[in-house]
Amino acid sequence: MQLIYEPPRKQWLELTSRPAQDPARLEKVVKPILEKVKRNGDMALRKFALEYDHVELDDLFVTEEELLASADQVGEELKAAIHVAKENIEKFHLAQKESPITVETMSGVVCQRKSIPVNRVGLYVPGGTAPLFSTALMLGIPAKIAGCKEVIIASPTDSMGQVNATVLYVAHLLGIKKILKIGGAQAIAAMAYGTESVPKVDKIFGPGNQYVTAAKQMVSRDTVAIDMPAGPSEVLVFADKHAEPSFVAADLLSQAEHGADSQVILVTSSKRMVDSVAQEVERQLATLPRKAMAAKALENSRTIYFEDKITAMDYINMYGPEHLILALKDADKYAEMVENAGSVFIGNYTPESAGDYASGTNHTLPTNGWARAMAGVSVDSFVKKVTFQKITPAGLQLLGPSIEAMAAAEKLDAHKMAVTLRLQKIKEGTNEL
């Protein structure tokens, strides 16, 4: 990890950079995939499955038999853990449901806003180097709570043409029956454009590698909504002298092991912590099955020392991390200063992996600085906030003159006429409509 002491503010913007990605290169790779799926549908999906996953797919979707059989392939201990996570995620997301808001802004003028579910949603569940069945929980639960009519999961298969059994178990647990056996940019294309077998969705959700993220951003330009750019993963740990170095190192490595393009940042106000954490990272890294991948991610990562904690928080808010861990003595105090972060983990006993799996918050979060403007997935992500208004004749008599004056000032005569004609009708007393 690159070590930087007391960087001046003029250097901060540079220090918010993530691992270099070439948008032009990504688009050059992804665009032909999108176009082939759009043009050739199911045939393109089967060809990509053979090319990338080395499997011949008879069925593009998981069969009912495969879905039911998944329960026998998941151990009881893991099932119990999944049920704990499901209960916590449901509790937190159920609390996010909003009742309609109704306001009479003036006599006879009633405005309302209510949440209406997105009709058909596609959930991308990564399954490459690590099948993330937890993502099925994080996306499936709020989709069901929001009331989406149709939910489709897309997840790649193994070399035997099977979607990960735990992903299927979670899908069955949530009542999601349509699971597409396709991953990568081609899965995003299938859900965005639709094929003979795959229905076109209204919105696509889920994290993924740089190709999946690029595909989501590209299809969002013209055909489908997306939740946010989500991936590659990142974490920033802010640690003072009271932090436990082994905890900090484990938190850093927990994101580094996601992939070589992940980034981890240690911000600390303790010079002792710099060395202690570095030693722990080396010790723990050697024990990890995914150590080669994690080591590559550490090359993209930094340790930054700030003596002043307030200055450190200013930098952290500029960086806008996906995950922010406050391993500080006064962690609650500094949590109040957070402006930009996907999700915040407060105190030495709140690991980032708690949010990844089972605390109840969502782990689908904005990366690459998008936390400065966007929030992570919630029930709100699966609904549209639609506004309504109803005006009585008496209400229009009160409000109408203001509308007429404003429309006239903007030289939009038809806007004004739409009010004037109604006011004339009311004045004539022939407004029995």
Side-chain angles (χ1 to χ4, degrees), residues 298-317:
L298 291 174
E299 294 176 12
N300 302 320
S301 303
R302 305 182 181 103
T303 296
I304 305 175
Y305 171 83
F306 288 103
E307 183 177 0
D308 180 65
K309 290 182 181 178
I310 303 300
T311 303
M313 285 301 304
D314 288 344
Y315 166 75
I316 290 166
N317 279 319

Side-chain angles (χ1 to χ4, degrees), residues 1 16 84 89 128 153 166 187 202 217 258 264 284 325 328 417:
M1 294 174 66
T16 65
V84 169
I89 296 164
I153 287 177
T166 313
D202 301 308
Q217 290 175 296
H258 266 298
V264 300
Q284 293 182 30
I325 298 175
L328 308 168
M417 186 65 69

Side-chain angles (χ1 to χ4, degrees), residues 292-352:
M293 195 174 294
K296 190 68 177 175
L298 291 174
E299 294 176 12
N300 302 320
S301 303
R302 305 182 181 103
T303 296
I304 305 175
Y305 171 83
F306 288 103
E307 183 177 0
D308 180 65
K309 290 182 181 178
I310 303 300
T311 303
M313 285 301 304
D314 288 344
Y315 166 75
I316 290 166
N317 279 319
M318 178 180 282
Y319 181 87
E322 177 190 18
H323 305 97
L324 171 59
I325 298 175
L326 300 175
L328 308 168
K329 182 180 181 181
D330 300 320
D332 289 305
K333 168 187 169 183
Y334 290 93
E336 292 296 321
M337 301 178 193
V338 174
E339 296 174 1
N340 302 319
S343 194
V344 183
F345 303 80
I346 303 170
N348 286 300
Y349 285 88
T350 313
E352 182 274 328

